[in-house]
């Protein structure tokens, strides 16, 4: 036991097991990771939670500070994705991925934050603080988080109306989200957009679109502009399995392939286009193949590491060879929107089944615990922290004022030319557009 | 740029140009003439030369030199990266152009006719017009959609509609309707420089028409203000407000009316959105009578909007009901005699002006 402890002190690694017992090298799926040493874990956690501090405890407590919940350890950890990639017209990337404790814990935190945010939005909608449309992303967090990890802020992202988490991944704040949802001034669109119209131009996030499928040609246009400007960056245009049948998608893909645009079309296949299952809407639901001449990759969208790997691969591919399609096999726990219970066209068993077997956050939690990158308590603490952050942001958003009446007339044009605009009663309400 | 303009003008001046002697009265240094086609081409050329972010996209704009030769010579001059031939996929290429505008480029999209813009109208309205508002100013869309609009000659119902009223309804868009070469140059240059989405409605039958043009108009910095109408002909008895080809018809009608002692004021609207309500109202307050003229379908049209705004703001000044001349309320027929009945003719404008002046039985 003492030998283990000293080895642990010396290695500075968040790893309770001696190297011989647990390997940091390639994991085969046939060798499940060994379970953490319970005695040592218990011993350390007791030290951690103890309020007594004696000279005996000091070295340990300082050692414990090396194992913070958000680990800054960037030592590479090599893992395999849950399933291999399936490729169309290209060679699939390897399922071996490089990650680190830091990255995995960041993934966990980010996804937990998104999950909590969406659940909170559900309650706010039911409390009638959010109006109109509200399309929630819980279940699909791995796509937003994994994609962002593969990109830089020079790369562009455009998506449809299920955009809250993508906005967050691009650097948006919780206050901007909740204030926008509640139609307040501090919202990312100053309350004028709403749930479906989040934008963050300084992070190259172009929304947020209400018209199904329209975002795909727009995304190809962003890619065109990146190529035109010689920016050496790519655009990820996200769409759902429902939008995958839109004609304009194929029109845009055709042009992108002809002009070699650095466009990546990402189909977030959550298997239901509103209430219509994919097999009822698409003659060929193999969305990654629908690009025909364009290569495609099918990815387990619930595995954040697979998403990251696929997006890294796609970015490299698109910069050299033009458009590529990524199909993310994912799932949404909520219905299409808050008006849809989500249980009339799919069984509750199916929903709970996915939650139990494939939940992206649970997958990372298991990975973190099995590799001893954090304890269960530390992860629970992260979730508590995240919950508090969300609650605080909601409280702040609730206090935030609604837009000034004059905002009705702002931003109609970028250059208003001093033109007049009118309210409902034009003899009562007129404004000059700046 | 100026070189091309001068070359084209030399070509034009050697041909016989349409007389329109009375119009020359309005142009002080009226030695040079230019066709609308050349005016548009020169405007595109100059703006592309001045700003590397400007690029052209559309069907046949490149190698074919433009379906109506508006983009002639531009592919050779600027290369295939800036003059892009698209497949026949309006929804796709319009969306791509709007996306490029989101990023900060300045696309000029050509619709072979605006009838085909209906295939892309979602991108014009929902992706372009509304984005600046929905994003509270983060995403501006400096794009121009241009092309021939309205009736041509014998092209039938699906190729003859005027979309001015449709696009002008939408806040966030600017809608321009040039008439002569000066308008074509000045408004297109202004449209390309404008940071908002502009729908630029040309007219196929005007492309080949030549108009006198001054040195000022030929200058590469020449721009016309968006949202300002022009009084093409000053008068005092009745105001005739028109846009595009109907301005020419209205001017001819004014000549005929003059012989009957009616001095008509002809307004070239130039801009349907923003509509120059103050110029229209000022004119009506002077003449007290109004005739609106458009080639488009009458219901919910530009004339209806002008009438409403005059009734709202200058009711006390009206001495007669507002008269409205528009295209017939039918899809455009093919047979020449029926087609003639389906679009306004000069005599229709004359008759309406006389009615407004109580010179004929209403």
């Amino acid at each position: 036991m003492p030998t283990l402890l000293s080895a642990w002190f010396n290695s500075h690694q968040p790893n309770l097991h001696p190297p011989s017992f647990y390997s940091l090298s390639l994991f085969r799926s046939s060798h499940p990771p060994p379970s953490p040493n319970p005695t040592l874990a218990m011993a350390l956690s007791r030290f951690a939670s103890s309020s007594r501090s004696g000279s005996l405890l000091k070295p340990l407590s300082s050692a414990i500070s090396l194992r913070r919940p958000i680990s800054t350890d960037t030592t590479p950890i090599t893992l395999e994705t849950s399933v291999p990639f399936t490729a169309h017209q290209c060679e699939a990337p390897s399922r071996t991925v490089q990650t680190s404790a830091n990255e995995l814990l960041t993934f966990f935190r980010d996804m937990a934050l998104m999950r909590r945010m969406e659940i909170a939005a559900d309650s706010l909608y039911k409390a009638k603080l959010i109006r109109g449309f509200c399309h929630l992303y819980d279940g699909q967090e791995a796509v937003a988080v994994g994609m962002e990890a593969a990109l830089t802020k020079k790369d562009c992202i455009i998506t449809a109306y299920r955009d809250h988490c993508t906005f967050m991944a691009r650097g948006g704040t919780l206050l901007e989200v909740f204030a926008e949802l509640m139609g307040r001034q501090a919202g990312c669109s100053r309350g004028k957009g709403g749930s479906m119209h989040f934008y963050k131009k300084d992070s190259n996030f172009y929304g947020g679109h209400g018209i199904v499928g329209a975002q795909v040609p727009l995304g190809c246009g962003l890619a065109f502009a990146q190529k035109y400007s010689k920016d050496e960056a790519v655009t990820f245009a996200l769409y759902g399995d429902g939008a995958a049948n839109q004609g304009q998608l194929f029109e845009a893909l055709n042009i992108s392939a002809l002009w070699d645009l650095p466009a990546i079309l990402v189909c977030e296949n959550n298997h239901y286009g509103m209430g219509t299952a994919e097999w009822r809407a698409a003659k060929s639901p193999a969305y990654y193949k629908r690009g025909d001449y364009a290569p495609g990759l099918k990815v387990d969208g619930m595995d954040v590491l697979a998403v990251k790997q696929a997006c890294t691969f796609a970015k490299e591919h698109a910069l050299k060879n033009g458009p590529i399609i990524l199909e993310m096999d994912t799932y949404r726990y909520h219905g299409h929107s808050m008006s849809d219970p989500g249980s009339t066209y799919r069984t509750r068993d199916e929903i709970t089944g996915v939650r139990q077997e494939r939940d992206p956050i649970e997958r990372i939690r298991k990975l973190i615990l099995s590799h001893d990158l954090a304890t269960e308590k530390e992860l629970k603490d992260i979730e508590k922290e995240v919950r508090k952050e969300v609650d605080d942001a909601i409280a702040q958003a609730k206090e935030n004022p609604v837009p000034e009446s004059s905002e009705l007339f702002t931003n109609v044009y970028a250059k208003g030319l001093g033109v007049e605009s009118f309210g409902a009663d034009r003899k009562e309400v007129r404004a000059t557009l700046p | 740029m100026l070189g091309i303009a001068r070359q084209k003008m030399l070509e034009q001046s050697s041909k016989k140009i349409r007389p329109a002697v009375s119009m020359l009265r309005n142009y002080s240094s009226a030695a040079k003439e230019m066709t609308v086609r050349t005016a548009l081409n020169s405007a595109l050329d100059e703006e592309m030369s001045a700003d590397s972010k400007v690029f052209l996209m559309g069907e046949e704009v490149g190698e074919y030199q433009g379906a109506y030769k508006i983009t002639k010579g531009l592919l050779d001059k600027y290369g295939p990266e800036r003059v892009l031939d698209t497949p026949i996929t309006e929804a796709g290429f319009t969306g791509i152009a709007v996306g490029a505008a989101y990023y900060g480029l300045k696309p000029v999209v050509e619709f072979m006719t605006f009838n085909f813009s209906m295939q892309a109208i979602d991108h014009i309205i929902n992706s372009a017009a509304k984005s600046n508002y929905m994003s509270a100013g983060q995403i501006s869309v400096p794009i121009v959609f241009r092309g021939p609009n309205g009736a041509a000659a014998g092209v039938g119902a699906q190729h003859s509609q005027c979309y001015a009223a449709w696009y002008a309804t939408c806040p966030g868009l600017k809608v321009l309707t040039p008439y002569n070469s000066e308008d074509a140059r000045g408004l297109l240059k202004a449209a390309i420089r404008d940071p908002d989405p502009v729908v630029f409605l040309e007219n196929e039958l005007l492309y080949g028409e030549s108009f006198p043009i001054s040195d000022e108009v030929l200058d590469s910095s020449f721009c016309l203000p968006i949202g300002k109408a022009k009084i093409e002909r000053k008068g005092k008895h009745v105001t005739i407000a028109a846009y595009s080809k109907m301005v020419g018809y209205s001017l001819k009608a004014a000549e005929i009316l003059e012989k009957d002692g009616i001095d008509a004021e002809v307004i070239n609207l130039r801009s349907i959105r923003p509509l120059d309500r103050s110029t229209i109202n000022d004119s009506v307050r002077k003449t007290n009578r109004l005739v609106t003229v458009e080639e488009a379908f009458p219901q919910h049209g530009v004339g209806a909007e002008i009438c409403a705004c005059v009734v709202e703001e200058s009711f006390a000044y009206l001495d007669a009901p507002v008269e409205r001349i528009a295209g017939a309320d039918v899809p455009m027929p093919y047979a020449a005699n029926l087609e003639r009945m389906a679009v306004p003719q000069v005599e229709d404008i004359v008759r309406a002006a006389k009615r407004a002046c109580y010179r004929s039985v209403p």
Side-chain angles (χ1 to χ4, degrees):
Chain A
M1 274 312 173
T3 331
L4 279 172
L5 270 171
S6 51
W8 184 72
F9 282 135
N10 294 332
S11 69
H12 292 275
Q13 282 186 42
N15 179 0
L16 298 173
H17 304 282
S20 56
F21 192 80
Y22 158 90
S23 173
L24 285 179
S25 61
L26 194 73
F27 248 74
R28 306 248 177 267
S29 51
S30 52
H31 295 286
S35 42
N37 183 318
T39 320
L40 193 52
M42 259 179 4
L44 279 167
S45 60
R46 237 186 274 132
F47 282 127
S49 55
S50 167
S51 53
R52 278 181 289 142
S53 59
S55 53
L56 184 64
L57 292 170
K58 271 205 191 106
L60 277 169
S61 54
S62 61
I64 283 156
S65 71
L66 292 171
R67 282 186 67 252
R68 287 187 186 290
I70 306 294
S71 167
T72 51
D73 186 350
T74 51
T75 316
I77 301 173
T78 311
L79 297 169
E80 280 204 332
T81 62
S82 59
V83 292
F85 301 100
T86 322
H88 167 78
Q89 304 272 36
C90 67
E91 231 184 274
S94 159
R95 61 189 287 208
T96 307
V97 301
Q98 291 264 29
T99 182
S100 68
N102 179 37
E103 184 171 67
L104 290 172
L105 280 154
T106 310
F107 284 167
F108 179 83
R109 188 179 210 287
D110 288 346
M111 290 196 286
L113 185 71
M114 290 174 181
R115 178 68 58 93
R116 190 64 225 136
M117 174 182 82
E118 296 292 76
I119 305 288
D122 175 301
S123 309
L124 289 173
Y125 193 90
K126 287 173 176 148
K128 296 208 190 327
L129 283 161
I130 300 176
R131 307 174 317 117
F133 292 127
C134 190
H135 306 86
L136 299 176
Y137 200 73
D138 51 314
Q140 300 184 211
E141 298 89 352
V143 178
V145 172
M147 181 178 297
E148 191 61 36
L151 269 51
T152 69
K153 289 292 189 288
K154 271 183 73 183
D155 300 308
C156 301
I157 299 183
I158 192 168
T159 186
Y161 43 75
R162 209 175 295 279
D163 60 347
H164 308 163
C165 299
T166 317
F167 170 77
M168 287 296 293
R170 285 260 98 179
T173 67
L174 288 169
L175 177 63
E176 284 175 318
V177 170
F178 288 117
E180 187 60 35
L181 290 174
M182 295 198 268
R184 310 295 175 98
Q185 282 183 22
C188 53
S189 302
R190 297 216 302 272
K192 308 221 297 194
S195 166
M196 301 184 287
H197 305 294
F198 286 14
Y199 302 87
K200 197 165 165 59
K201 179 125 191 231
D202 56 18
S203 300
N204 277 318
F205 177 58
Y206 291 88
H209 271 273
I211 307 297
V212 170
Q215 74 276 17
V216 177
L218 293 170
C220 295
L222 292 168
F224 173 88
Q226 288 172 311
K227 183 170 178 174
Y228 188 100
S229 313
K230 302 187 170 34
D231 281 350
E232 287 301 303
V234 300
T235 297
F236 280 72
L238 280 65
Y239 60 99
D241 47 292
N245 303 309
Q246 277 261 316
Q248 58 184 319
L249 191 153
F250 296 94
E251 294 186 15
L253 185 63
N254 179 45
I255 294 179
S256 303
L258 280 170
W259 297 351
D260 279 313
L261 303 183
I264 296 121
L265 277 60
V266 181
C267 179
E268 293 184 280
N269 182 8
N270 57 25
H271 309 282
Y272 296 92
M274 202 153 139
T276 305
E278 59 184 327
W279 57 269
R280 285 179 65 216
K283 187 72 180 170
S284 164
Y287 301 104
Y288 71 107
K289 285 190 190 165
R290 295 275 292 274
D292 183 19
Y293 43 80
L297 208 64
K298 185 162 174 169
V299 185
D300 177 1
M302 306 299 253
D303 177 355
V304 67
L305 294 168
V307 171
K308 181 187 171 191
Q309 182 87 323
C311 291
T312 309
F313 169 79
K315 174 169 173 173
E316 210 185 290
H317 187 281
L319 278 170
K320 284 203 300 270
N321 308 324
I324 180 171
I325 297 182
L326 296 179
E327 181 187 336
M328 303 286 182
D329 186 346
T330 183
Y331 200 84
R332 54 165 163 84
Y333 297 137
H334 268 87
H336 163 73
S337 72
M338 286 303 299
S339 331
D340 170 26
S343 49
T344 56
Y345 48 85
R346 47 185 198 173
T347 61
R348 289 199 193 278
D349 283 344
E350 181 189 290
I351 306 171
T352 35
V354 175
R355 215 186 264 278
Q356 276 163 8
E357 304 294 315
R358 300 181 65 208
D359 185 274
I361 302 176
E362 289 316 301
R363 176 194 297 280
I364 292 296
R365 189 198 305 272
K366 285 193 195 104
L367 218 54
I368 290 173
L369 292 176
S370 67
H371 286 64
D372 283 311
L373 309 175
T375 62
E376 233 180 279
K377 182 183 183 303
E378 282 167 333
L379 294 181
K380 285 258 184 300
D381 283 345
I382 292 176
E383 288 178 298
K384 276 204 205 109
E385 248 177 67
V386 142
R387 201 189 172 110
K388 181 168 191 313
E389 259 183 63
V390 166
D391 289 342
D392 286 348
I394 292 177
Q396 223 188 323
K398 280 180 180 169
E399 293 304 303
N400 200 256
V402 293
E404 297 288 335
S405 303
S406 57
E407 282 272 32
L408 181 67
F409 294 107
T410 58
N411 310 123
V412 176
Y413 294 114
K415 194 166 161 195
L417 307 168
V419 148
E420 254 195 330
S421 184
F422 310 98
D425 181 350
R426 54 174 61 205
K427 300 210 165 161
E428 265 296 299
V429 182
R430 297 171 98 112
T432 306
L433 302 182
Chain B
M1 322 134 243
L2 220 52
I4 295 177
R6 283 214 194 90
Q7 197 182 350
K8 293 274 157 70
M9 275 169 355
L10 284 168
E11 282 173 47
Q12 290 305 324
S13 57
S14 61
K15 296 185 198 145
K16 185 178 190 298
I17 296 125
R18 62 187 212 86
V21 171
S22 56
M23 289 206 347
L24 286 172
R25 245 190 280 145
N26 298 321
Y27 303 95
S28 45
S29 53
K32 302 166 199 119
E33 293 227 342
M34 185 187 266
T35 60
V36 171
R37 177 177 286 113
T38 308
L40 293 168
N41 183 281
S42 65
L44 289 169
D45 193 349
E46 286 165 24
E47 293 307 301
M48 286 182 78
S49 174
D51 187 347
S52 60
K53 292 192 172 149
V54 178
F55 69 94
L56 308 184
M57 197 189 267
E59 293 154 12
E60 312 299 354
V61 295
E63 293 186 14
Y64 197 86
Q65 308 296 326
Y68 299 99
K69 304 293 178 271
I70 306 298
T71 53
K72 185 170 180 193
L74 298 175
L75 172 65
D76 280 341
K77 189 164 178 191
Y78 295 103
E81 278 169 17
R82 292 186 68 194
V83 179
L84 296 127
D85 281 324
T86 63
I88 308 174
T89 50
E90 275 76 6
F93 72 70
T94 307
I96 286 179
V98 175
Y102 281 4
Y103 197 77
L105 297 186
K106 295 187 181 176
V108 179
V109 177
E110 176 174 305
F111 290 118
M112 200 179 279
T113 76
F114 263 89
N115 301 284
F116 314 143
S117 73
M118 291 198 287
Q119 305 216 299
I121 200 167
D122 176 60
H123 282 298
I124 300 173
I125 305 294
N126 281 323
S127 304
K130 299 178 184 172
S131 285
N132 198 60
Y133 192 83
M134 290 193 296
S135 69
Q138 275 188 75
I139 313 278
S140 69
V141 191
I143 193 169
V144 176
F145 304 102
R146 53 158 291 273
N149 172 64
V155 293
Q158 293 180 339
H159 290 74
S160 304
Q161 192 164 335
C162 172
Y163 293 87
W166 281 31
Y167 288 121
T169 318
C170 187
L173 279 183
K174 291 170 179 166
V175 179
L176 301 177
T177 49
Y179 160 58
N180 56 24
S181 305
E182 177 182 332
D183 291 353
R185 262 184 69 77
L187 292 177
L188 186 54
K189 285 161 82 67
I192 294 172
R193 296 180 193 191
D194 196 278
D196 291 306
V198 181
V199 172
F200 193 82
L201 302 173
E202 302 158 3
N203 185 291
E204 194 213 312
L205 298 174
L206 286 176
Y207 284 152
E209 274 204 41
S210 223
F211 295 92
I213 203 157
S214 71
D215 282 335
E216 190 205 341
V217 176
L218 289 170
D219 189 79
S220 65
S221 63
F222 176 71
C223 263
L224 284 173
I226 292 178
K228 291 274 172 283
K230 182 178 180 198
I231 311 280
E232 289 289 345
R233 182 192 196 280
K234 274 187 148 45
K236 47 185 192 283
H237 295 141
V238 60
T239 299
I240 306 177
Y243 64 92
S244 189
K245 187 145 167 291
M246 293 292 110
V247 175
Y249 281 30
S250 302
L251 288 167
K252 289 207 188 94
E255 282 170 40
I256 295 172
L257 288 164
E258 202 182 10
K259 298 195 185 80
D260 280 331
I262 296 176
D263 188 17
E265 177 148 292
V266 176
I267 302 180
N268 173 5
L269 290 170
R270 282 181 168 174
S271 180
I272 308 298
R273 186 174 184 105
L275 191 62
D276 190 349
R277 295 188 172 88
S278 59
T279 298
I280 298 166
N281 276 286
D282 285 347
S283 176
V284 172
R285 286 176 186 215
K286 184 175 70 168
T287 65
N288 313 119
R289 297 161 201 277
L290 174 63
V291 177
T292 68
V293 188
E294 65 206 287
E295 223 176 14
F297 296 140
Q299 195 164 334
H300 309 297
V302 174
E305 172 63 30
I306 292 175
C307 175
C309 102
V310 163
V311 162
E312 280 163 0
E313 297 186 29
S314 310
F315 183 69
Y317 293 82
L318 282 170
D319 286 347
V322 176
E323 292 284 344
R324 179 167 55 154
I325 294 297
D329 201 13
V330 299
M332 183 67 69
Y334 167 67
N337 62 323
L338 295 181
E339 189 184 53
R340 207 176 308 116
M341 288 169 64
V343 288
Q345 303 299 331
V346 175
E347 52 262 29
D348 294 312
I349 305 172
V350 170
R351 194 184 316 113
K354 285 185 174 169
R355 277 203 304 263
C357 293
Y358 296 152
R359 299 296 194 85
S360 64
V361 180

